[in-house]
Amino acid sequence: MASDRHPRERLQEAGTRLFHERGFHATSVRDITEACGLTSGSLYNHFESKEDVLYSIIMEAHAALDRNLDAVPADAPPAQRLRGLVEVFVLHHTRLSREATVGDEWRALDEDHRKEVRENRLRVRARFEDVLRAGVASGEFVLPELPDGDPTRIAAMAFLDMAFRVAGWFHAEGPLSDTEFSRFYAELIVRSVLAR
Protein backbone atom coordinates (compact mmCIF):
# COMPACT_ATOMS: atom_id res chain seq x y z
CA MET A 1 0.00 0.00 0.00
CA ALA A 2 1.17 3.53 -0.81
CA SER A 3 0.46 4.63 2.78
CA ASP A 4 3.07 2.10 4.03
CA ARG A 5 5.82 4.00 2.21
CA HIS A 6 7.75 6.87 3.77
CA PRO A 7 6.00 10.24 3.31
CA ARG A 8 9.08 11.76 1.65
CA GLU A 9 9.03 9.05 -1.01
CA ARG A 10 5.29 9.52 -1.56
CA LEU A 11 5.67 13.30 -1.83
CA GLN A 12 8.51 13.02 -4.32
CA GLU A 13 6.62 10.48 -6.42
CA ALA A 14 3.53 12.72 -6.45
CA GLY A 15 5.70 15.71 -7.35
CA THR A 16 7.27 13.79 -10.23
CA ARG A 17 3.87 12.79 -11.61
CA LEU A 18 2.31 16.25 -11.23
CA PHE A 19 5.30 18.20 -12.52
CA HIS A 20 5.32 15.85 -15.52
CA GLU A 21 1.57 16.24 -16.17
CA ARG A 22 1.10 19.94 -15.36
CA GLY A 23 4.56 21.49 -15.18
CA PHE A 24 6.42 22.76 -12.13
CA HIS A 25 4.89 26.23 -12.03
CA ALA A 26 1.31 24.99 -12.45
CA THR A 27 1.62 22.55 -9.54
CA SER A 28 1.08 23.76 -5.98
CA VAL A 29 2.27 22.34 -2.68
CA ARG A 30 -1.37 21.54 -1.93
CA ASP A 31 -1.63 19.58 -5.22
CA ILE A 32 1.36 17.46 -4.21
CA THR A 33 0.20 16.75 -0.67
CA GLU A 34 -3.41 16.04 -1.67
CA ALA A 35 -2.19 13.60 -4.34
CA CYS A 36 -0.71 11.41 -1.62
CA GLY A 37 -3.31 12.00 1.09
CA LEU A 38 -1.22 14.27 3.30
CA THR A 39 -1.90 17.72 4.73
CA SER A 40 -0.39 20.77 3.03
CA GLY A 41 1.99 21.48 5.88
CA SER A 42 3.37 17.95 5.89
CA LEU A 43 5.54 18.65 2.84
CA TYR A 44 7.68 20.97 4.97
CA ASN A 45 8.52 18.12 7.35
CA HIS A 46 10.47 16.49 4.50
CA PHE A 47 11.32 19.25 2.01
CA GLU A 48 12.13 22.92 2.41
CA SER A 49 9.88 23.93 -0.47
CA LYS A 50 8.26 22.82 -3.71
CA GLU A 51 11.53 23.79 -5.39
CA ASP A 52 13.33 21.39 -3.05
CA VAL A 53 11.06 18.58 -4.28
CA LEU A 54 12.08 19.38 -7.87
CA TYR A 55 15.74 19.54 -6.88
CA SER A 56 15.52 16.14 -5.17
CA ILE A 57 13.87 14.55 -8.22
CA ILE A 58 16.55 15.94 -10.53
CA MET A 59 19.52 15.03 -8.33
CA GLU A 60 18.33 11.47 -7.69
CA ALA A 61 17.89 10.93 -11.43
CA HIS A 62 21.36 12.39 -12.11
CA ALA A 63 22.90 10.14 -9.45
CA ALA A 64 21.30 7.05 -11.04
CA LEU A 65 22.54 8.09 -14.49
CA ASP A 66 26.07 8.72 -13.18
CA ARG A 67 26.21 5.29 -11.51
CA ASN A 68 25.26 3.58 -14.75
CA LEU A 69 27.63 5.67 -16.87
CA ASP A 70 30.43 4.84 -14.43
CA ALA A 71 29.84 1.14 -15.17
CA VAL A 72 30.90 1.62 -18.82
CA PRO A 73 34.62 0.60 -18.94
CA ALA A 74 36.74 3.73 -19.33
CA ASP A 75 39.53 1.75 -21.01
CA ALA A 76 37.33 0.15 -23.69
CA PRO A 77 38.05 0.98 -27.35
CA PRO A 78 36.25 4.20 -28.40
CA ALA A 79 33.47 2.55 -30.44
CA GLN A 80 32.68 0.08 -27.66
CA ARG A 81 32.76 2.84 -25.04
CA LEU A 82 30.55 5.19 -27.08
CA ARG A 83 28.11 2.33 -27.69
CA GLY A 84 27.96 1.64 -23.94
CA LEU A 85 27.51 5.29 -22.98
CA VAL A 86 24.69 5.78 -25.49
CA GLU A 87 22.92 2.59 -24.38
CA VAL A 88 23.03 3.72 -20.75
CA PHE A 89 21.87 7.24 -21.58
CA VAL A 90 18.99 6.04 -23.75
CA LEU A 91 17.88 3.38 -21.25
CA HIS A 92 17.90 6.00 -18.50
CA HIS A 93 15.62 8.25 -20.53
CA THR A 94 13.22 5.45 -21.47
CA ARG A 95 13.01 3.91 -18.00
CA LEU A 96 12.89 7.22 -16.10
CA SER A 97 11.07 9.21 -18.76
CA ARG A 98 8.95 11.21 -16.29
CA GLU A 99 11.98 12.13 -14.19
CA ALA A 100 13.92 13.05 -17.34
CA THR A 101 11.12 15.31 -18.57
CA VAL A 102 10.71 16.89 -15.14
CA GLY A 103 14.49 17.39 -15.06
CA ASP A 104 14.12 19.77 -17.97
CA GLU A 105 12.46 22.16 -15.48
CA TRP A 106 15.86 22.72 -13.82
CA ARG A 107 15.80 26.41 -14.72
CA ALA A 108 13.08 26.85 -12.08
CA LEU A 109 15.65 26.06 -9.38
CA ASP A 110 17.50 28.73 -7.42
CA GLU A 111 20.86 29.92 -8.69
CA ASP A 112 23.02 27.56 -6.60
CA HIS A 113 20.96 24.52 -7.55
CA ARG A 114 20.90 25.55 -11.23
CA LYS A 115 24.69 25.78 -11.14
CA GLU A 116 24.94 22.29 -9.60
CA VAL A 117 22.62 20.77 -12.21
CA ARG A 118 24.44 22.56 -15.04
CA GLU A 119 27.77 21.17 -13.78
CA ASN A 120 26.30 17.64 -13.68
CA ARG A 121 25.07 18.01 -17.24
CA LEU A 122 28.45 19.30 -18.40
CA ARG A 123 30.19 16.32 -16.78
CA VAL A 124 27.91 13.95 -18.69
CA ARG A 125 28.65 15.79 -21.92
CA ALA A 126 32.38 15.65 -21.16
CA ARG A 127 32.22 11.83 -21.11
CA PHE A 128 30.86 11.87 -24.65
CA GLU A 129 33.32 14.51 -25.82
CA ASP A 130 36.22 12.52 -24.35
CA VAL A 131 35.31 9.29 -26.12
CA LEU A 132 34.72 11.12 -29.40
CA ARG A 133 38.13 12.83 -29.12
CA ALA A 134 39.78 9.50 -28.34
CA GLY A 135 38.12 7.90 -31.35
CA VAL A 136 39.17 10.73 -33.67
CA ALA A 137 42.74 10.62 -32.31
CA SER A 138 42.97 6.85 -32.90
CA GLY A 139 41.47 7.10 -36.39
CA GLU A 140 38.45 5.02 -35.37
CA PHE A 141 36.06 7.98 -35.71
CA VAL A 142 35.70 10.70 -38.31
CA LEU A 143 33.66 13.84 -37.69
CA PRO A 144 32.68 16.51 -40.21
CA GLU A 145 35.00 19.48 -40.22
CA LEU A 146 33.82 22.59 -38.44
CA PRO A 147 35.99 25.62 -39.29
CA ASP A 148 34.69 27.85 -36.48
CA GLY A 149 33.94 25.37 -33.72
CA ASP A 150 34.77 22.13 -31.95
CA PRO A 151 33.19 19.21 -33.85
CA THR A 152 33.49 16.84 -30.86
CA ARG A 153 31.59 19.27 -28.63
CA ILE A 154 28.87 19.81 -31.22
CA ALA A 155 28.59 16.06 -31.94
CA ALA A 156 28.32 15.26 -28.23
CA MET A 157 25.62 17.90 -27.78
CA ALA A 158 23.71 16.59 -30.80
CA PHE A 159 23.88 12.96 -29.65
CA LEU A 160 22.78 13.83 -26.10
CA ASP A 161 19.93 16.02 -27.31
CA MET A 162 18.69 13.28 -29.65
CA ALA A 163 18.91 10.67 -26.89
CA PHE A 164 17.22 12.92 -24.32
CA ARG A 165 14.20 13.38 -26.60
CA VAL A 166 13.33 9.66 -26.47
CA ALA A 167 11.83 10.33 -23.02
CA GLY A 168 8.95 12.07 -24.78
CA TRP A 169 8.09 9.50 -27.40
CA PHE A 170 9.45 6.01 -26.71
CA HIS A 171 6.92 3.60 -25.17
CA ALA A 172 8.05 0.23 -23.85
CA GLU A 173 4.70 -1.35 -24.73
CA GLY A 174 5.56 -0.88 -28.42
CA PRO A 175 7.16 -3.51 -30.66
CA LEU A 176 10.67 -2.96 -29.24
CA SER A 177 11.85 -3.46 -25.68
CA ASP A 178 13.78 -0.57 -24.15
CA THR A 179 16.94 -2.73 -24.23
CA GLU A 180 16.56 -3.49 -27.96
CA PHE A 181 15.79 0.16 -28.62
CA SER A 182 18.84 1.41 -26.69
CA ARG A 183 21.09 -0.99 -28.62
CA PHE A 184 19.64 0.16 -31.94
CA TYR A 185 20.09 3.80 -30.95
CA ALA A 186 23.68 3.21 -29.84
CA GLU A 187 24.52 1.40 -33.07
CA LEU A 188 22.96 4.22 -35.09
CA ILE A 189 25.15 6.80 -33.35
CA VAL A 190 28.34 4.73 -33.48
CA ARG A 191 27.91 4.04 -37.19
CA SER A 192 27.47 7.76 -37.83
CA VAL A 193 31.04 8.48 -36.64
CA LEU A 194 32.95 5.30 -37.62
CA ALA A 195 35.72 5.85 -40.13
CA ARG A 196 34.89 4.16 -43.42
Side-chain angles (χ1 to χ4, degrees), residues 24 51 58 73 84 98:
F24 174 77
E51 185 263 350
I58 292 171
R98 289 191 313 178

Side-chain angles (χ1 to χ4, degrees), residues 2 5 8-18 57 98:
R5 290 164 44 230
R8 181 183 172 92
E9 183 183 349
R10 290 162 56 199
L11 288 162
Q12 186 164 314
E13 185 177 282
T16 301
R17 181 173 54 79
L18 292 170
I57 294 164
R98 289 191 313 178

Side-chain angles (χ1 to χ4, degrees), residues 13-193:
E13 185 177 282
T16 301
R17 181 173 54 79
L18 292 170
F19 296 159
H20 179 257
E21 291 171 359
R22 304 178 185 181
F24 174 77
H25 294 292
T27 301
S28 69
V29 167
R30 182 183 297 273
D31 293 332
I32 295 170
T33 54
E34 285 183 354
C36 47
L38 299 170
T39 61
S40 292
S42 63
L43 181 135
Y44 301 102
N45 293 327
H46 307 282
F47 296 96
E48 292 180 12
S49 62
K50 180 179 78 163
E51 185 263 350
D52 192 33
V53 177
L54 176 62
Y55 173 71
S56 182
I57 294 164
I58 292 171
M59 295 310 290
E60 283 189 18
H62 267 294
L65 176 60
D66 285 340
R67 283 191 302 273
N68 290 325
L69 289 171
D70 285 344
V72 177
D75 58 352
Q80 183 181 333
R81 183 153 192 255
L82 179 59
R83 191 176 282 111
L85 291 173
V86 174
E87 283 184 27
V88 164
F89 195 83
V90 170
L91 271 177
H92 177 81
H93 287 81
T94 57
R95 293 180 176 173
L96 296 177
S97 60
R98 289 191 313 178
E99 289 83 353
T101 305
V102 169
D104 218 24
E105 298 254 26
W106 66 279
R107 291 172 188 83
L109 299 172
D110 65 40
E111 185 177 348
D112 288 342
H113 288 155
R114 282 197 310 272
K115 182 180 178 187
E116 190 176 354
V117 172
R118 188 180 301 112
E119 287 170 354
N120 281 345
R121 288 177 166 221
L122 289 174
R123 280 195 297 273
V124 170
R125 190 176 82 198
R127 293 178 193 252
F128 283 78
E129 288 183 35
D130 289 348
V131 72
L132 288 169
R133 281 197 177 87
V136 169
S138 70
E140 195 171 352
F141 297 159
V142 174
L143 296 176
E145 291 188 20
L146 194 61
D148 299 317
D150 178 357
T152 55
R153 180 171 177 264
I154 299 300
M157 290 170 69
F159 294 157
L160 289 169
D161 186 64
M162 286 169 51
F164 166 77
R165 302 286 165 202
V166 304
W169 60 266
F170 177 80
H171 301 288
E173 61 274 7
L176 284 177
S177 71
D178 53 9
T179 302
E180 291 171 319
F181 176 69
S182 70
R183 288 177 182 155
F184 169 84
Y185 216 95
E187 193 61 28
L188 184 69
I189 286 178
V190 168
R191 287 187 188 193
S192 75
V193 295

